[in-house]
Amino acid sequence: MNTNFPDEEYLRGLVNAHKERVEGQAELVELLVMWSGASLNWIGDVFTDPAISWVKKDLHLPDLYLTGTNPEWNVIIRGRADHSAEKLGAIFRSEPATAEIFSEATWSDVPILVMAHGGHLKVFDGMHRVIAAVRDDRKSITAWVGERDAKIPPRPSCEPHTVYDLIRAYQIGSCRDRQSLVAALGFLYRAYGNVGHLFTERFSAGWIPDDEIQDIMREAVNTQE
């Protein structure tokens, strides 16, 4: 992102002030959703989806389905090892130079996150720990394993600004396509479990005293019910 604002020191102070204010007001899971969103991962979704239950257990490394990390590592993890911890370990043992590529992976006792999905135990967070465990020839690893009830549609929570970004764009006039806004807000209402609450509480008339926006939010809800 770029800005035309010329004073970097002032900008840094503004960033720190907003950071302190948000961290002082937000609940722990709200911060997790915010930071995972900034990292472009799905952790916020799985932690706020009420259909997912969690259990802590020790898993055998060969039972894990390895997921992506970065493009250089993925060539080996996904391509050559085919997501298999067992195959990755064999590569490490036969090719020390390949194992060296993963030298930055470090071990810790912090449990990884795993999602049971499609018959696989997919590593959701903690791939560096898993790779270090494979490299060090460990046999098991502790994990929080999440499993969702397939009979219930996913309904995680989104960050409030996800909704407000759309409303603000309409208000400032960068896009005045009313029907597109209704459709976009309707999509978010259907996809995320907290959007209805945001419409009636965080973006109520007391916070957004704009009759048209209030009508648009009501229309967005009506299109989904």
Side-chain angles (χ1 to χ4, degrees):
M1 296 183 185
N2 297 313
T3 179
N4 292 327
F5 192 77
D7 190 333
E8 183 175 348
E9 184 178 354
Y10 182 92
L11 186 62
R12 191 178 305 279
L14 195 61
V15 168
N16 289 334
H18 278 270
K19 179 175 181 290
E20 290 176 5
R21 183 173 65 185
V22 170
E23 292 186 345
Q25 296 174 346
E27 297 179 358
L28 195 59
V29 72
E30 291 177 304
L31 292 173
L32 179 62
V33 170
M34 180 178 70
W35 292 119
S36 70
S39 299
L40 304 181
N41 65 51
W42 293 22
I43 289 177
D45 278 19
V46 300
F47 272 87
T48 58
D49 188 341
I52 295 176
S53 58
W54 296 91
V55 61
K56 189 177 182 181
K57 59 175 67 175
D58 290 333
L59 302 176
H60 294 295
L61 277 170
D63 293 337
L64 296 178
Y65 182 94
L66 306 187
T67 50
T69 53
N70 61 61
E72 182 184 14
W73 289 11
N74 290 345
V75 170
I76 300 167
I77 296 168
R78 293 174 172 173
R80 296 185 58 196
D82 193 27
H83 302 275
S84 166
E86 198 165 15
K87 290 180 181 179
L88 184 64
I91 292 171
F92 285 171
R93 288 189 295 273
S94 62
E95 302 174 19
T98 301
E100 184 62 26
I101 294 173
F102 295 84
S103 61
E104 293 182 6
T106 56
W107 168 258
S108 82
D109 292 327
V110 176
I112 63 171
L113 295 178
V114 170
M115 287 296 298
H117 179 73
H120 294 293
L121 292 171
K122 292 188 173 183
V123 179
F124 204 80
D125 182 69
M127 273 295 294
H128 278 233
R129 279 162 278 165
V130 171
I131 290 169
V134 171
R135 187 191 59 217
D136 299 343
D137 202 27
R138 295 176 183 268
K139 305 304 179 186
S140 64
I141 193 166
T142 304
W144 279 104
V145 181
E147 187 167 6
R148 71 176 334 280
D149 187 337
K151 295 178 290 186
I152 303 175
R155 292 282 287 172
S157 294
C158 68
E159 294 178 74
H161 83 78
T162 304
V163 177
Y164 191 56
D165 287 350
L166 300 175
I167 294 172
R168 186 173 60 240
Y170 187 85
Q171 287 186 305
I172 66 175
S174 58
C175 180
R176 292 288 295 181
D177 185 338
R178 179 187 171 105
Q179 287 311 114
S180 291
L181 180 57
V182 169
L185 292 179
F187 175 87
L188 293 177
Y189 176 79
R190 185 172 183 179
Y192 293 99
N194 64 328
V195 170
H197 177 78
L198 291 174
F199 284 172
T200 58
E201 298 295 329
R202 185 61 183 87
F203 304 133
S204 66
W207 289 99
I208 303 180
D210 183 321
D211 290 342
E212 185 181 15
I213 292 297
Q214 296 301 319
D215 286 342
I216 287 172
M217 287 190 289
R218 282 191 290 269
E219 187 176 344
V221 172
N222 291 335
T223 62
Q224 302 297 321
E225 294 182 343

